[in-house]
Amino acid sequence: MRAPYVCLAALFVITLPGVMTAENPFSFKDTPGKLPKEVVPTDYSIRIVPNIEKLTFSGTETVRLSVRKPVRQLVLNALELEISEASLDGKPLSKSAINIDKERELLIFALPSESATGRIRRGELAAGDHTLALSFSGKINQQGQGLFYMHYQEQASGKKKIMLGTQFEATDARRFFPCWDEPAFRARFQLTTVVPENWLAVSNMPVESEKKITGGKEVRFAATPPMSSYLNVFVAGELDLIESRSGPTQIRVVATKGKAELGRYALEVTAQILRYYNDYFGVPYPLPKLDQIALPGGFGGAMENWGGITYYESALLFDPRNSSARTKQNIYEVLAHEMAHQWFGDLVTMAWWDNLWLNEGFASWMGSKCTAHFNPPWEVWLRRELPRDPTRRPGIAKEAAMEGDARSTTHPIQQTIATEAEANSAFDDITYKKGQSFLRMLESFLGEEVFRDGIRRYIAAHKYSNTTTADLWSALSEASKKPIGEIAAGWTQQPGFPVVKVKREGDGKVQLTQERFAVHFKNPPPLEWKIPLTYSVVGLPAEASAEAGEAPATLLMTSKIDNLQNIPTDRALKLNLNGAGNYRAEYDAPSWKLLLEALPKLGVEDRVNLLSDAWALVQADRAPIALYFGLVEKLPASTELAEREQIINVLDSVNRLLVGNPQREKFQRYARSLLRPTFEKVGWELTKGEVAAATNLRAGLISALGDLNDPEIIAGCRERFEKYLANPASLAPDLRPPVLAVVGRYADEKTWSKLHELGLKTTSIEEKQNYYSALAESIDPKLVQKTLAIALTDELPTSRAIFLVPAVARDSGHPDIAWEFAKANLKTLLAKTDAAGANSYAPSLFTFFSDDSRADELKSYAKTNLPPASAPDVAKVLDEVQFRTEFKKRLAPELNAWIEQKGL
């Protein structure tokens, strides 16, 4: 892949004024957190005995402590645990010495005034090595927090089974065993557990010993290397596995009985990615085994536990006969992301949650880089330019982050995290996707080899330790001999991003002006960035040489205003080549006219970038709707997936915004006229040797045209559904999700019941997801109520059950019904929600409204019903509802004028 910013490295020698104050390198004693730093655990020996019938567990642990200076109490973390016994250096501690602070999630031991060993005097624990022993008990949760259970249907028999799993990030290891549950407290962990004899138990390390005991078997795992507590994992149940080796590393895919073979694709991909990362990072994967573990519930994503990564089943298992091309791509990307964490996050861990982006932004970038390297036809970077519509699932990469980053509720990549509760809210688009985009841009600045050298230095210097962002900049600066921290400060330490305004002034001079780009944000604080601009003059001979591999023209914009010289007045100027930069471009009228004329000469990357910027300008009220749709209508005929998906996303967003508006039908006719020509080209049927992009485009068009009430598409989907009922093989896996969704959207009660029946019968998580997602599409209010009621049952894993409510709010056009249902059943729904979603679940259901009165309702509801930790999520949703309300009022008359002009 061409690296458009490679020549900018030479520009870094410029002295940059106004550089922000950088944070300090990692220092254990200065790292934030509640726990005192005088006592450090070095080794845990933990024994857990689950009681499946009672959904409880009992445990014991011995913790070796390094006491760095005398202390009068021991302070660690515990949550929802009962402590029955405690001893220090073999001497029992009295019940009165054990204090649990439930609000702060702390376990505090007051020290006795004397000890027979002479090592504790006057209530003070001397510096040196000590041993803490505890007995405790806790509960097995329904939701994905701490130790949790999952009910599922066994593949072969269809019988209901139960299994156990854990989810500890950000701060839930303390629900499983008392521990120093902050990232900087690295220690070795050795787990022993008792499980039924026919169960398989899995943890971070290989099994060291296994023996039969009364009531089952005792399994002891080898001790881990020093690591953070949240990276522990324990999974147990009636499981199968497949395995292979990659060099010295044993790799396995673990799943419920009958499903392990569906992990064959993941097993092959794991070996490929592991070899790539071993080489890239310069430090081989350090553990003896790597398990990829499929869970049928508990949470909806994946977790990078060191040596034992857990995934929701549909993110790991691939059925060649029934899974779609989209599923295959998603599995690869998720594997690449989670495996990148084995180095960036596990081997080297952020010091505190304010540097979470070091884990997640890097894994997002590295995972995408790896996926693109091995799968060029997937257009990984290009397809990551799509916008996020908040009424759809969270968007991807740069555009998703930029939409949120333009609002008043945004935050810097490096954000202040004061408490554990705030940590769970830090897992957002800015952390993941803006972090990813910035790292991609930084790699382009320095060149791939220099950047990789810096990463290798960073890993080698900090393995088995913790870091801050300053440590990464230091390693990259050493490798590049450039002041990386100075360039990076504006992008990581302040919120938002710039728009570069382009104005032609005659005689070949073009003035460039930067300012903060904002949407629904009046008078944002003015900020400036060091912007690495790339640009080309479309049609010049030099462009051809750039395409052949030479670097494009560049400018490091270090002030508010800069200029380009010698730009031909009759040629189009395109900023931000391939859309790789994290900024918008706004062109004056002469520049835009030339760009429209030059569209056939632009590559798809630059056309998608123009579409994304044009729509963003419309949202920001910097341009009328005619700017965007004028561009769409000028595009050359194309079946390029990324370009068409960008248009589909915008049309879908507008269509949902106009629910209940009398102009919606007119808009739908216009939108169909834009999409039908592309669908006529790709058609209904897959062709032999068809690339995945064409397959995905067909599916996207069917779904979009169905939502736009296209009678031919609706009839075609119903016809194919009837054939599918008689012969499931008649409908290609890639067409099942969109066809079922359209059928579900316009279903009568009989069809709804048939979809529900199919969902109940199948043991495939992917198929279940297709059927229940189709139920959530229904626009019939009576069927909406029936779908919502499923969320309270155990038909689906907890993470899927609670997803039904926002899915109905988003897809059915009845967010009011969904909210009233959720409000009446919120306690039950929250009991199924994992830690990552607990703060955002209720506020998120308002996202689908576009009425100021709903914003007022959310304010009132949050004030009396939601915890303080929900405040950031509430603020984001309030802003979104208010923006949608304003945007709908502004958009409707502009759309009407544009469509009437077309005579539709």
Side-chain angles (χ1 to χ4, degrees), residues 870-890:
S870 293
D873 295 287
V874 170
K876 289 177 185 177
V877 174
L878 284 172
D879 179 73
E880 184 60 37
V881 174
Q882 291 163 351
F883 163 70
R884 286 168 58 79
T885 303
E886 180 273 327
F887 192 38
K888 182 170 65 174
K889 291 176 183 176
R890 174 161 50 91

Side-chain angles (χ1 to χ4, degrees), residues 305-323:
N305 317 296
W306 209 2
I309 307 173
T310 48
Y311 302 80
Y312 186 62
E313 272 191 6
S314 60
L316 185 66
L317 304 183
F318 177 78
D319 184 347
R321 295 174 301 172
N322 296 306
S323 294

Side-chain angles (χ1 to χ4, degrees), residues 228-457:
S228 300
S229 54
Y230 77 89
L231 295 172
N232 279 279
V233 65
F234 168 60
V235 174
E238 295 180 45
L239 307 174
D240 281 341
L241 61 85
I242 56 175
E243 61 186 314
S244 66
R245 298 196 74 84
S246 179
T249 309
Q250 180 190 45
I251 54 177
R252 309 189 300 181
V253 173
V254 182
T256 56
K257 277 194 176 297
K259 289 188 176 181
E261 189 55 40
L262 299 179
R264 184 65 58 184
Y265 172 66
L267 191 70
E268 294 168 358
V269 166
T270 297
Q272 183 182 63
I273 295 172
L274 194 60
R275 289 191 295 270
Y276 179 79
Y277 286 167
N278 280 339
D279 174 67
Y280 187 90
F281 291 114
V283 174
Y285 176 75
L287 304 190
K289 63 96 174 172
L290 175 58
D291 288 338
Q292 311 282 23
I293 309 166
L295 300 183
F299 67 112
M303 176 59 206
E304 65 268 18
N305 317 296
W306 209 2
I309 307 173
T310 48
Y311 302 80
Y312 186 62
E313 272 191 6
S314 60
L316 185 66
L317 304 183
F318 177 78
D319 184 347
R321 295 174 301 172
N322 296 306
S323 294
S324 66
R326 180 79 74 181
T327 296
K328 190 174 189 178
Q329 293 176 21
N330 288 344
I331 288 171
Y332 199 108
E333 292 183 17
V334 175
L335 281 166
H337 177 105
E338 299 304 327
M339 288 178 65
H341 275 307
Q342 302 300 291
W343 286 263
F344 246 87
D346 298 3
L347 182 62
V348 182
T349 310
M350 83 264 143
W352 180 246
W353 301 106
D354 51 5
N355 270 300
L356 178 64
W357 89 278
L358 278 177
N359 284 16
E360 299 300 346
F362 187 92
S364 297
W365 168 79
M366 191 75 235
S368 295
K369 181 180 177 69
C370 175
T371 303
H373 175 80
F374 287 109
N375 306 281
W378 292 358
E379 300 177 334
V380 171
W381 291 116
L382 178 57
R383 293 200 58 238
R384 283 178 156 25
E385 297 299 312
L386 304 181
R388 176 184 63 86
D389 173 5
T391 67
R392 303 295 290 175
R393 291 179 179 85
I396 44 182
K398 193 183 81 171
E399 286 300 320
M402 292 180 85
E403 287 200 13
D405 207 19
R407 303 297 183 85
S408 62
T409 52
T410 190
H411 60 80
I413 289 177
Q414 293 177 253
Q415 58 179 316
T416 300
I417 302 294
T419 67
E420 296 98 323
E422 291 180 10
N424 284 318
S425 296
F427 294 80
D428 62 7
D429 283 348
I430 303 299
T431 297
Y432 281 74
K433 299 164 187 175
K434 184 178 180 181
Q436 169 186 342
S437 296
F438 175 68
L439 286 170
R440 185 189 179 203
M441 191 160 62
L442 192 57
E443 181 198 32
S444 297
F445 297 166
L446 304 180
E448 291 189 64
E449 290 187 10
V450 171
F451 189 84
R452 183 181 63 181
D453 181 42
I455 295 301
R456 287 178 172 177
R457 289 169 182 255

Side-chain angles (χ1 to χ4, degrees), residues 664-682:
R664 192 183 192 214
E665 185 176 344
K666 186 187 295 185
F667 168 75
Q668 289 181 337
R669 288 199 303 271
Y670 174 62
R672 294 197 299 266
S673 75
L674 295 177
L675 298 182
R676 284 294 310 195
T678 307
F679 182 74
E680 298 302 332
K681 287 185 179 181
V682 300

